[in-house]
């Protein structure tokens, strides 16, 4: 895909990176990792967390309308519902995942662009095959695979300059999607901002065993009026199968990264402002 772009002349090749990239290549600075990705031939590197900002805003509106919803950010969780709890399928959020959402925006604003998602999740590869997603995300790489590509192409991240711009557009709430409980917190914050005084009930579970317990309660009608956040990996996306950093260390690094976001709330996010511009 990089070769066929012919140095981004035939089409612009974008890399969409998950928030947990801030924790994976701990031997280098994040700006050096971004430069390394660009040196491989990518036109631009974009935060998936910008898509998370968009999803938070849209999912809050969906929850306010429907009253009961499950998150749709984790493809393994969505697949689990479809196979094990089909009666709850209709309650899965209709929003695309953050990666697919920002990929869609990129393609709408840059005709002909190609998008590669780089993140911690092996299940993203299956998500990218879904009819609703495959036109948006062209390829998926895990961090483990990314490390292999750096090694194969002899890209020494420790010796290259930091990208001066880096990836620094998303909100604290958007970046927090990477850690368990982050999705629900972001949606709650949006609802409190857009619908002051409205009660929001949430339940968050990580790991399919805990997710099953949560869904069993929902099946029995004991979670009506809730937002159910489910993450297949214990701890959230930071614990994905494609990571190369221990979960505790990764969680600490991502938490630090979320706090360094230029804006704190989804409502102030550049992505949400752009979304409004497109809608208008």
């Amino acid at each position: 895909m990089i070769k066929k772009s012919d140095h981004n002349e035939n089409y612009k090749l974008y890399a969409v990176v998950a928030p947990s990239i801030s924790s994976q290549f701990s031997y280098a600075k994040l700006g050096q990792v971004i430069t390394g990705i660009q040196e491989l031939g990518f036109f631009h590197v974009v935060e998936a967390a910008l898509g998370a900002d968009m999803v938070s805003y849209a999912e809050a509106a969906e929850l306010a309308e429907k009253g009961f919803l499950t998150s749709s950010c984790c493809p393994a969780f969505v697949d689990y519902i479809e196979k094990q709890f089909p009666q709850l399928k209709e309650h899965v959020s209709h929003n695309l995942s953050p990666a697919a959402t920002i990929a869609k925006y990129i393609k709408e604003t840059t005709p002909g662009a190609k998008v590669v998602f780089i993140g911690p999740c092996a299940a993203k590869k299956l998500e990218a095959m879904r009819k609703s997603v495959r036109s948006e995300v062209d390829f998926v790489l895990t961090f483990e695979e990314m490390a292999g590509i750096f090694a194969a192409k002899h890209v020494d991240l420790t010796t290259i300059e930091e990208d001066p711009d880096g990836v620094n557009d998303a909100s604290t709430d958007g970046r927090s999607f990477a850690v368990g409980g982050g999705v629900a917190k972001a949606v709650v914050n949006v609802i409190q901002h857009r619908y002051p005084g409205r009660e929001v009930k949430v339940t968050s579970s990580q790991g399919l065993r805990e997710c099953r317990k949560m869904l069993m309660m929902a099946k029995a009608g004991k979670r009506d009026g809730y937002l159910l956040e489910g993450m297949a990996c214990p701890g959230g996306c930071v614990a994905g199968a494609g990571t190369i950093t221990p979960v505790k260390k990764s969680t600490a690094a991502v938490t630090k990264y979320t706090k360094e976001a230029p804006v704190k709330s989804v409502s102030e996010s550049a992505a949400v402002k752009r979304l409004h511009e497109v809608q208008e």
Side-chain angles (χ1 to χ4, degrees), residues 54 263 266-278 280:
M54 292 178 170
V263 295
V266 168
S267 301
E268 300 171 1
S269 168
V272 170
K273 292 177 181 177
R274 291 170 196 162
L275 181 62
H276 287 170
E277 290 172 1
V278 171
E280 294 173 356

Side-chain angles (χ1 to χ4, degrees), residues 19 30 47 57-59 62 64 75 88 95 125 128 136 157-158 176 207 214 225 232 239 249-250 274:
L30 179 58
E47 284 191 89
Y57 200 81
E59 202 160 278
E62 189 179 8
L88 297 177
N95 288 286
K125 294 179 181 290
E136 316 302 347
L157 299 178
T158 63
S176 69
M214 177 178 70
K249 184 177 181 180
S250 183
R274 291 170 196 162

Side-chain angles (χ1 to χ4, degrees), residues 1-8 10-11 13 40-41 153:
M1 190 174 290
I2 292 175
K3 186 176 181 181
K4 288 182 179 179
S5 77
D6 191 19
H7 304 287
N8 291 290
N10 294 332
Y11 51 79
L13 182 61
L40 291 175
K153 294 295 183 179

Side-chain angles (χ1 to χ4, degrees), residues 223-261:
R223 288 294 178 267
D224 291 346
Y226 277 71
L227 168 65
L228 307 182
E229 178 203 308
M231 296 286 187
C233 295
C237 300
V238 291
T243 56
I244 55 177
T245 303
V247 177
K248 288 186 178 180
K249 184 177 181 180
S250 183
T251 300
V254 172
T255 299
K256 179 177 181 293
Y257 179 59
T258 62
K259 293 179 180 178
E260 294 172 349

Side-chain angles (χ1 to χ4, degrees), residues 140-163:
V140 173
L141 289 170
T142 65
F143 290 131
E144 187 175 30
E145 291 169 332
M146 197 71 240
I149 292 173
F150 282 142
K153 294 295 183 179
H154 305 291
V155 176
D156 184 354
L157 299 178
T158 63
T159 62
I160 59 180
E161 294 184 6
E162 290 187 71
D163 184 301

